[in-house]
Amino acid sequence: MKRRTLFGATAGLAAVSLSRPSLAQGNARVLRFVPEGNLANPDPVWTTTTVARNHGAMIWDMLYGLDAGFEPQPQMVAGHELSDDRLTWRFTLREGLVFHDGEPVRPADCITSLQRWAKRRPLGQTLLARTAAMTPLDDRRFEITLTKPYSLMLRAFSDNCFIMPERIARTDPFTQISEYVGSGPYRFIRDEWVSGSKAIYTRFDKYVPREGAPSFLAGGKVAHFDRVEWLVMPDSATAVGALQNGEVDWIQRPDFDLMPLLRPMRNVKTAVFDKVGVMGMLALNHLHPPFDNPKLLRAVLSAISQADFMAAAVGGEPELFHIPIGVFTPGMPMANDVGLEVLTAPRDIAKSRRLVEESGYKGEPVLLMAPSDYPVQAAFAQVAADLFKRLGINVDYASMDWGTLVQRRTSKATPDKGGWNAFPTTYEGLTVADPSSHVPLRGNGPQGWFGWPESPRLEGLRDQWLDAPDTAEQKRLAGEIQRVAFEEVPFIPLGQTFNPTAYRTDIVDIVPASFPIFWNVKRA
């Protein structure tokens, strides 16, 4: 179940290699990068796509950033003070911080950015629920007063909480922003942005990096390139041919089945910087039939073969995936085996088909959205469609580009009026490693993630986890959360993958991370 035969990939690569002139002697101060997909929606608060997050990390800075050990470190702040009762946090910004329009970064910008971000992120929603006031104190200091201690405050600030000018951050979080004035090391050149083709960034010479070596999202963010060009190439074989010819410098995520061709190439390196991986999952719409029926959800879960999904997505690269997985990222502290037999027991399609019939399923069509320009997710969709058919579920397979899917998944309308029933996606392992930031595991209904499951049990257990006195109790509660998740099925975990990357040998000092980081990297 591979997306492309090796012969077909080789033929496509050869055609590209023969038809394009070499640009290996291009501008040394320009980095030409092929992103994982199209930057269709550049607002990292409005959308949760990783492309928008990667874009956000280039142009906006954060108050705190996670280091390589996943611990929050000061980034835009010089430091903070915490009262003895742990209810008052006082933050001081570093000197010299300015936005790309030359205006200084003020406490009011930080507070407004926090409030907008918090309404869309689990860690932020918890912060808002425990906040009595957020108050600017002077030109560089602001204070947050809580009604209840929040030990994850700094972790929350590190969770893609990008600091924007106050006028932009006042935009409703459920509405896209229309202005992209950043606070980070690169400027977004909106006039040159062509969705589906390219996104352009230039170095912001007034950005003041922290001292010290970069460490994931923390430390010194020094931009060495004057210009970074994101060049959208939906076909991975085309991108690999361009890399071989020197027409591009870096491919974020080459297709798994092209790795045997990339490894022996001259002047090209491959690496797996991603040590946490990403979780593949099938999102399910709980608002409308038929997946508003827990019995049907459990029937589908009983038939899921994570091995089939990984074989389709990763093919002959077994070292680049891991199964079985539960609802938390394998290798991280909250991962556990509670209830995992629902996915590891021998599959019996005939029995699962009977469970579908017994669930009361009435033959309603299931509109399955499939992203045509994301090969891994497209492979997941194909396996899901085949499984639905074998279970007797009426499938309406809707292929579309990822940007369109991202727009459509926000709709709560019925599928026949622009909504949907299911779609495959991936989530970075760090964000689904524990209940604090695990968006798909929320049970907060209409305010939650796409699919909008409502589960008082999951929400209650999450609250208990946030207030747990120690790691042992957190692990116990994580096991109980997984047990409930397998009963209520907010989403279906499909497996863990580790994404490779490929780049020209003259590109050096890439910061190892689960997604591309554009500071520190330079041309040798």
Side-chain angles (χ1 to χ4, degrees):
M1 301 177 72
K2 296 175 71 174
R3 298 184 303 282
R4 175 193 295 111
T5 66
L6 190 59
F7 173 80
T10 307
L13 179 57
V16 170
S17 299
L18 291 172
S19 63
R20 295 184 178 220
S22 175
L23 297 178
Q25 304 302 317
N27 189 336
R29 301 291 297 174
V30 176
L31 178 69
R32 296 152 302 179
F33 171 76
V34 180
E36 64 183 65
N38 176 38
L39 180 67
N41 306 285
D43 183 348
V45 174
W46 180 83
T47 179
T48 59
T49 64
T50 54
V51 175
R53 188 278 319 281
N54 299 346
H55 155 85
M58 285 191 77
I59 71 171
W60 288 291
D61 210 347
M62 297 185 291
L63 297 174
Y64 286 76
L66 294 181
D67 63 15
F70 309 126
E71 294 296 327
Q73 302 296 339
Q75 197 58 38
M76 295 180 78
V77 301
H80 72 269
E81 302 170 66
L82 177 60
S83 63
D84 291 340
D85 61 6
R86 298 184 297 141
L87 293 178
T88 301
W89 295 71
R90 184 170 293 172
F91 300 91
T92 302
L93 294 172
R94 289 194 289 126
E95 293 186 9
L97 299 180
V98 295
F99 289 111
H100 295 169
D101 59 2
E103 293 296 317
V105 177
R106 306 166 302 141
D109 302 306
C110 299
I111 289 173
T112 311
S113 294
L114 282 168
Q115 291 171 335
R116 181 173 190 260
W117 157 87
K119 293 175 183 177
R120 298 300 302 269
R121 305 289 294 188
L123 285 166
Q125 290 165 353
T126 303
L127 170 61
L128 289 182
R130 300 183 180 201
T131 295
M134 295 186 182
T135 310
L137 299 178
D138 53 36
D139 289 344
R140 289 178 52 209
R141 297 183 305 153
F142 66 96
E143 188 173 272
I144 297 179
T145 307
L146 303 176
T147 59
K148 183 178 182 180
Y150 188 35
S151 62
L152 295 175
M153 175 76 80
L154 305 185
R155 167 76 182 279
F157 285 3
S158 306
D159 183 31
N160 304 325
C161 181
F162 301 118
I163 301 303
M164 306 177 180
E166 180 183 16
R167 67 180 184 280
I168 299 175
R170 286 190 180 278
T171 305
D172 185 284
F174 294 89
T175 301
Q176 292 185 63
I177 61 176
S178 57
E179 193 179 357
Y180 299 91
V181 175
S183 52
Y186 281 98
R187 298 169 59 243
F188 179 47
I189 309 303
R190 188 180 181 185
D191 290 346
E192 295 189 52
W193 169 47
V194 180
S195 180
S197 176
K198 63 180 179 179
I200 306 299
Y201 306 84
T202 60
R203 185 171 60 88
F204 180 49
D205 58 6
K206 293 183 180 179
Y207 176 76
V208 180
R210 291 193 71 90
E211 294 183 358
S215 179
F216 191 27
L217 294 172
K221 298 180 179 180
V222 178
H224 292 289
F225 288 97
D226 293 332
R227 182 179 171 96
V228 177
E229 300 177 354
W230 285 19
L231 306 174
V232 180
M233 296 184 181
D235 181 73
S236 190
T238 300
V240 168
L243 181 69
Q244 183 182 39
N245 286 345
E247 300 170 36
V248 300
D249 301 299
W250 185 4
I251 301 175
Q252 178 185 345
R253 190 183 295 179
D255 283 2
F256 290 110
D257 53 11
L258 292 178
M259 292 303 293
L261 300 175
L262 278 162
R263 291 189 182 104
M265 281 185 182
R266 291 186 57 201
N267 300 318
V268 169
K269 285 186 177 181
T270 62
V272 181
F273 294 129
D274 180 8
K275 304 305 181 184
V276 181
V278 299
M279 180 186 290
M281 60 180 66
L282 188 65
L284 304 161
N285 193 328
H286 292 245
L287 295 182
H288 307 297
F291 292 142
D292 60 342
N293 179 353
K295 290 183 178 180
L296 177 61
L297 294 174
R298 289 192 289 271
V300 172
L301 185 64
S302 74
I304 290 290
S305 167
Q306 292 182 339
D308 286 350
F309 284 91
M310 291 297 100
V314 182
E317 300 285 337
E319 69 277 13
L320 296 180
F321 74 87
H322 171 82
I323 56 172
I325 70 168
V327 299
F328 299 111
T329 305
M332 302 298 280
M334 295 303 119
N336 62 83
D337 295 332
V338 175
L340 199 58
E341 60 274 7
V342 73
L343 288 166
T344 58
R347 304 291 87 175
D348 185 338
I349 290 297
K351 179 180 178 181
S352 296
R353 189 180 177 101
R354 288 196 300 273
L355 291 175
V356 169
E357 295 171 353
E358 293 169 3
S359 74
Y361 172 62
K362 299 180 176 60
E364 301 98 333
V366 167
L367 194 144
L368 173 63
M369 298 192 294
S372 58
D373 51 348
Y374 273 51
V376 168
Q377 289 89 326
F380 289 162
Q382 292 164 8
V383 177
D386 176 71
L387 178 62
F388 286 161
K389 291 175 183 177
R390 288 189 289 140
L391 291 175
I393 295 174
N394 181 14
V395 182
D396 180 4
Y397 190 89
S399 181
M400 63 193 73
D401 64 81
W402 181 247
T404 301
L405 188 153
V406 166
Q407 289 278 359
R408 185 164 182 172
R409 71 180 182 176
T410 64
S411 173
K412 295 177 182 177
T414 56
D416 61 318
K417 295 181 179 178
W420 55 277
N421 294 111
F423 70 88
T425 190
T426 58
Y427 244 93
E428 289 178 340
L430 188 60
T431 61
V432 291
D434 65 53
S436 68
S437 58
H438 199 315
V439 178
L441 199 54
R442 294 297 304 270
N444 53 340
Q447 300 304 313
W449 188 62
F450 312 107
W452 308 285
E454 191 161 348
S455 173
R457 289 198 295 169
L458 285 176
E459 287 296 287
L461 287 166
R462 178 179 181 272
D463 289 342
Q464 292 180 47
W465 188 93
L466 290 170
D467 292 326
D470 52 42
T471 302
E473 179 62 6
Q474 286 182 329
K475 289 183 176 182
R476 186 193 71 78
L477 289 165
E480 182 65 11
I481 288 172
Q482 181 160 289
R483 184 187 66 78
V484 173
F486 286 148
E487 292 178 7
E488 301 190 0
V489 198
F491 69 95
I492 295 177
L494 304 178
Q496 179 187 30
T497 63
F498 302 92
N499 291 311
T501 192
Y503 50 96
R504 301 285 297 181
T505 53
D506 63 342
I507 301 301
V508 298
D509 295 340
I510 295 176
V511 178
S514 57
F515 59 89
I517 288 176
F518 294 92
W519 49 87
N520 199 59
V521 61
K522 60 178 71 75
R523 195 181 302 277

